[in-house]
Amino acid sequence: MKQLLSGNEACAIGAIRAGVRFFAGYPITPSTEIAEYLSRELPRVGGTFIQMEDEIGSICCMNGATAAGVKAMTATSGPGFSLMQEGIGYSIMAELPCIIVNVMRGGPATGTPTRTSQADVMQARFGTHGDHPIVALCPWSVRECFDLTVEAVNISERLRIPVIVLMDEIVGHMREVVELPETVKIWQPDKPKPAPNQYYHYDDSNNYDAPIASFGEGYRIHLTGLTHRKDGFPTDDPEIIKWNLDRLRNKIEQNRSWLWDIYYEDIGSETVIVCYGSAARAGMEAKRQFELKTGRRVGIVRLRMVWPFPNERLIALLRSARRVIVPEMNQGQLYREVERTVSLQVPVVSVQRYDGEMLTPEEIIAHL
Amino acid sequence: MIELKDDRFLEYFRLDERFPHILCPGCGIGTTMATMVRAFLELGIKQDELCVVSGIGCSSRVPGYLDCDTFHTLHGRALPAATGVKLAKPELKVVVIGGDGDIMAIGGNHFIHAARRNLDITVIVVNNFTYAMTGGQYSPTTPTHERAATAPFGNVERSFDVCFLARAAGAMFVARSTTFHVAHLKKMLELALKKTGFSVVEVISQCPTFYGRYQGIGDAVQMLEWLRTRAVDVSKVTDPWHQKDKFVIGVLHDQQEIAPYTQLYEEVRERSKGK
C-alpha cells in the first residue's frame, strides 16, 4: 500500500513493526509527530504511551519499561536530548536496549526549534559522561526513517545498547510517497535463558546475545548505574571496573564486522563526497548535476550509521580519492573524523551551513 | 521484640555477600528496611512479585540488600523508572524507597507528577533532614536556621512538608512515622502497601553521623530519644499540618480510592480498538 508519510510518521511505524510497545516522551518540536502517532497507535496493539513531565523523566521511564521486558523508545530534539544524557548513560551501564530518536534542530540552548541542523552528531557520540559505546543511525529519506528505526531496534536488542536515530528537521517533516513492508525482520536471541541459579545478567561468555531476564520473571535481578560485577552488584575493585568498561567497549569492537552501514557510488572517482542525513540529499543532487554538466564522475559515500565511525571501511573506500568533500549542516563536526581516514596529501573540504536552511547542491558544486 | 516464626525474614535478604551493609552504626535506614520487609511478610507479598526501585543516596542503597527484583536508578529518578516498570508489568508490586534529598529535591518534580497520575505504587521517603551520603549538606527538609555542611552560618531556606506536598499533589494515602516507633511504622507501611493508588509513607529517621552531630542532638540513642519526644500522634492534634518542632505521626490522609493510572490506560486500549 502506497502512502504519503512524513519521516516522523515512518519512524513511528517502523518502531511498532519492529516490536516497540512502549513510548515515554515529552513534546518538543520537531519530533512531536512521533509521539502523537504512537499515542494513537500503541494502545491499539496493546502497548503503552505516556507523556512524562520532562525528558529526564521520559528516558528513565523508558529504562524502567525496558527493564521490565518491553521494547521501548523515546523521541526528542536538541534541548530534550541534552536533558536525556545521564539517562542514556544509565541505559549503557545497565545494558538496557532502547531507541532514542533525536530529530535535530538548531542549537545551542533553545536555538531554532523550527529549523534544521545536524549539530548533535558529536553530542550523540560523547554526550553522556564516561567512556562508553554508542550506535547512531542517520536516515536521509522517509523510507529510511522506517528502515533505520527497525535496524536501530534490532541492533539495540542484539547488543543490549541504546541506539540513537539521528534524524533532522528536514527528514522528520519531509513527506514522500512510500510503500512500507508489513512485516520486518526482528532480531531474536536463539539461546534459551539459563535457570535463575545459573544466571548472570552480565555474562560475558555469550557476546551479549543471550536472552536476558526482566523484572517479574523470578530471576531477582539487580540493576544499577554503578560499575558492577557480572551478577549486577556494584564494586570498586579496579580489576572489575576495567572488565566492566572493556565489556562495554567490546560490544562495538568485537562486532565491527557487521556494525556498519554505508551506501556508496563511484568511489573510484578523483573527488568523493562523504555525507549523511539530509545533507546527503544535496550531496546526491550535486553529484547528478555536476556529472550532467561536465561528464566527470563524482564519488559519494553516505553514512547510514555514523557511530561507531566506520574508520576501516572509509579508509578503504577513500583509498583512490584525491579530494574529499564533507557537506554538513553544522560547523564541521564529522569533517575531522573523515579527515583522519585519508592521507595528509588529500585535501578534505568542509562545506558548512548552519543558518537553519537546507544545504543546497550549488553550495557543494562550488567545491567540486 | 518481634518474634521470627521462621527464617522467612532472612530469606528476604541477599545474605550471600551483600552484607555487611554500608549503613553507619546507629543509622535509621536499617530499621526502615527491616520494618519494610516485615510489612511485606505480613501482607504475604512474594519476592517474585515485587520490584523495589530507588535512586541514589544512603536510603537508595536499600534495594541492593533485598532478594527480589531491584532497580537502583539515577539520582532523583526512582519515580520515573518505577513508572516505566509499573506500566510495562502492572501485575508487579512496585515500591520506591529513597531519601529526602533524592525524592524531594532532585526528584521533586517526578514526585508530584507520579502522585498526580495516581500510579499504583508505594513511596517510602526516609527523611533524615540531610544529604548523608555526600556528607551532611542541607536538604529540602532541613529546617530554617539549622547548620549543615553547606550552610555553615545557618540554612536560610524553608523546608518542605513531605506529607503535605504528597497530599496536595494527589496521593491516595499519606502517613508519617519514625524509626523509633517501629510497630507503628510497620502498621503505616502495611496500610500504604494495601492501598490501591499512589501511597506515601514519610519515615522520620536518624542520621547520627551527620545530622545528629551538626545539630548537636547527639548519638543514635539520643536521636531516638529526640524522635520519641518530638513525635505526636495525629489523634492528639487539631491541625496536623502546622505543628512546629513536632513530628505528627499516623495516617494524615486516606481518601476513597479512584481508578489508578494502569486501569485507566487499560480502558484507553479498549477505546482505541474501535477507532
Side-chain angles (χ1 to χ4, degrees):
Chain A
M1 185 182 70
K2 283 199 170 136
Q3 297 165 280
L4 182 67
L5 291 173
S6 70
N8 280 344
E9 287 165 338
C11 164
I13 296 168
I16 289 185
R17 302 237 167 119
V20 169
R21 290 293 175 270
F22 192 96
F23 181 96
Y26 187 81
I28 182 167
T29 304
S31 77
T32 319
E33 294 85 356
I34 297 173
E36 287 175 0
Y37 186 93
L38 291 171
S39 71
R40 203 170 55 241
E41 296 302 323
L42 274 175
R44 284 183 183 157
V45 291
T48 307
F49 169 92
I50 185 169
Q51 186 173 299
M52 291 300 283
E53 50 274 16
D54 57 33
E55 288 89 349
I56 300 174
S58 301
I59 190 144
C60 294
C61 183
M62 175 175 74
N63 283 340
T66 304
V70 179
K71 282 187 190 178
M73 167 169 132
T74 188
T76 187
S77 182
F81 194 57
S82 291
L83 288 182
M84 287 182 182
Q85 293 305 325
E86 195 192 3
I88 294 172
Y90 190 90
S91 318
I92 292 164
M93 197 50 142
E95 303 190 23
L96 296 166
C98 59
I99 309 301
I100 301 112
V101 181
N102 175 11
V103 187
M104 292 181 279
R105 67 192 233 188
T110 317
T112 40
T114 58
R115 299 287 179 173
T116 195
S117 145
Q118 292 182 312
D120 304 349
V121 177
M122 280 297 170
Q123 190 191 13
R125 176 63 193 90
F126 294 110
T128 194
H129 62 279
D131 285 322
H132 61 274
I134 203 83
V135 175
L137 305 169
C138 235
W140 81 324
S141 67
V142 171
R143 174 61 205 251
E144 227 166 61
C145 287
F146 175 90
D147 290 342
L148 292 192
T149 302
V150 172
E151 192 180 331
V153 173
N154 289 336
I155 292 172
S156 96
E157 290 289 320
R158 186 168 168 183
L159 295 181
R160 291 162 61 176
I161 192 176
V163 177
I164 293 160
V165 181
L166 273 181
M167 291 158 55
D168 62 69
E169 191 274 335
I170 291 171
V171 173
H173 283 163
M174 183 171 61
R175 289 184 171 275
E176 288 181 311
V177 175
V178 285
E179 196 161 6
L180 302 177
E182 284 301 321
T183 53
V184 294
K185 260 211 185 96
I186 293 179
W187 188 83
Q188 295 283 15
D190 54 1
K191 302 184 187 76
K193 226 177 282 183
N197 56 357
Q198 289 151 17
Y199 177 80
Y200 290 105
H201 201 69
Y202 303 101
D203 190 345
D204 60 354
S205 64
N206 54 28
N207 201 12
Y208 322 103
D209 58 4
I212 44 169
S214 310
F215 291 151
E217 293 179 348
Y219 281 76
R220 300 184 190 173
I221 52 177
H222 180 69
L223 299 182
T224 177
L226 291 160
T227 312
H228 47 261
R229 314 176 309 196
K230 68 177 180 176
D231 59 6
F233 291 105
T235 179
D236 56 2
D237 175 334
E239 219 174 292
I240 302 176
I241 294 172
K242 186 174 182 309
W243 165 84
N244 194 178
L245 294 179
D246 281 345
R247 176 187 156 84
L248 296 179
R249 173 156 75 180
N250 288 341
K251 287 186 178 193
I252 302 294
E253 297 312 322
Q254 291 175 0
N255 291 291
R256 278 196 179 265
S257 61
W258 61 269
L259 205 55
W260 59 279
D261 192 343
I262 304 175
Y263 171 91
Y264 54 87
E265 275 181 38
D266 299 328
I267 44 156
S269 317
E270 280 214 344
T271 306
V272 179
I273 302 168
V274 179
C275 48
Y276 56 95
S278 59
R281 298 177 79 87
M284 203 52 122
E285 181 59 18
K287 168 183 158 68
R288 197 187 64 84
Q289 287 182 18
F290 184 80
E291 286 173 355
L292 232 97
K293 218 164 27 195
T294 64
R296 297 211 318 269
R297 302 301 263 172
V298 176
I300 192 155
V301 173
R302 187 163 68 81
L303 306 174
R304 285 158 38 116
M305 188 186 291
V306 287
W307 303 114
F309 194 76
N311 274 329
E312 300 296 313
R313 305 213 173 251
L314 219 52
I315 288 169
L317 289 172
L318 299 178
R319 191 164 292 143
S320 53
R322 291 292 156 263
R323 226 158 144 272
V324 176
I325 316 276
V326 187
E328 299 178 81
M329 289 184 297
N330 55 42
Q331 295 180 341
Q333 294 198 10
L334 222 58
Y335 144 78
R336 278 184 199 81
E337 292 290 327
V338 178
E339 199 178 37
R340 287 209 296 258
T341 63
V342 295
S343 76
L344 285 174
Q345 286 73 40
V346 176
V348 179
V349 184
S350 173
V351 181
Q352 305 171 5
R353 180 150 196 177
Y354 41 84
D355 61 356
E357 292 291 318
M358 183 165 181
L359 200 80
T360 61
E362 292 71 32
E363 284 168 276
I364 300 171
I365 291 171
H367 292 276
L368 288 174
Chain B
M1 184 69 194
I2 296 169
E3 262 198 36
L4 292 179
K5 295 180 188 67
D6 48 35
D7 270 351
R8 284 190 314 145
F9 175 76
L10 292 178
E11 274 173 24
Y12 236 100
F13 293 93
R14 288 172 169 141
L15 291 171
D16 45 1
E17 47 171 330
R18 302 297 308 141
F19 287 82
H21 53 64
I22 60 154
L23 306 169
C24 303
C27 171
I29 296 168
T31 314
T32 310
M33 176 164 74
T35 311
M36 177 172 83
V37 167
R38 290 193 177 100
F40 291 156
L41 290 169
E42 191 74 44
L43 299 175
I45 296 170
K46 294 190 177 61
Q47 283 154 275
D48 289 343
E49 299 165 356
L50 174 70
C51 181
V52 184
V53 188
S54 71
I56 295 294
C58 297
S59 307
S60 293
R61 291 306 281 260
V62 165
Y65 305 116
L66 302 177
D67 194 20
C68 56
D69 283 326
T70 49
F71 200 8
H72 183 219
T73 67
L74 294 171
H75 192 22
R77 316 301 168 205
L79 278 155
T83 303
V85 173
K86 186 70 188 177
L87 296 185
K89 284 224 170 101
E91 67 274 19
L92 282 175
K93 184 83 192 159
V94 178
V95 175
V96 169
I97 183 164
D100 46 297
D102 184 74
I103 293 182
M104 305 314 297
I106 187 169
N109 196 35
H110 304 308
F111 179 79
I112 57 176
H113 287 283
R116 178 179 63 82
R117 285 189 191 105
N118 191 26
L119 278 157
D120 184 17
I121 57 178
T122 299
V123 184
I124 300 164
V125 185
V126 183
N127 182 2
N128 55 16
F129 309 99
T130 189
Y131 282 93
M133 192 164 259
T134 45
Q137 297 79 15
Y138 67 91
S139 92
T141 58
T142 307
T144 318
H145 308 309
E146 290 198 343
R147 295 249 287 269
T150 43
F153 312 109
N155 177 19
V156 294
E157 300 185 6
R158 294 185 301 161
S159 57
F160 267 147
D161 179 329
V162 176
C163 293
F164 194 73
L165 186 69
R167 181 186 162 209
M172 293 289 113
F173 176 92
V174 182
R176 187 186 287 122
S177 190
T178 85
T179 47
F180 174 82
H181 306 79
V182 277
H184 178 269
L185 172 60
K186 177 164 169 273
K187 185 83 206 127
M188 294 302 119
L189 290 171
E190 283 169 25
L191 290 171
L193 288 162
K194 273 196 289 202
K195 190 82 183 176
T196 301
F198 194 83
S199 56
V200 179
V201 178
E202 182 189 4
V203 186
I204 309 285
S205 169
Q206 77 279 13
C207 172
T209 307
F210 288 109
Y211 191 73
R213 200 166 42 139
Y214 271 110
Q215 309 317 329
I217 302 168
D219 62 12
V221 175
Q222 286 160 311
M223 283 202 83
L224 285 169
E225 182 62 21
W226 170 79
L227 289 173
R228 187 182 68 83
T229 52
R230 282 195 166 210
V232 52
D233 194 84
V234 67
S235 60
K236 297 197 170 63
V237 293
T238 45
D239 174 11
W241 306 111
H242 301 96
Q243 295 291 328
K244 210 171 151 42
D245 300 330
K246 290 277 182 224
F247 305 135
V248 179
I249 62 171
V251 178
L252 301 173
H253 175 67
D254 187 4
Q255 71 170 78
Q256 180 73 43
E257 289 169 359
I258 56 167
Y261 191 98
T262 40
Q263 189 185 322
L264 292 174
Y265 197 79
E266 192 49 50
E267 290 165 18
V268 165
R269 287 191 190 113
E270 287 309 310
R271 281 204 302 276
S272 71
K273 295 223 163 72
K275 298 202 173 83

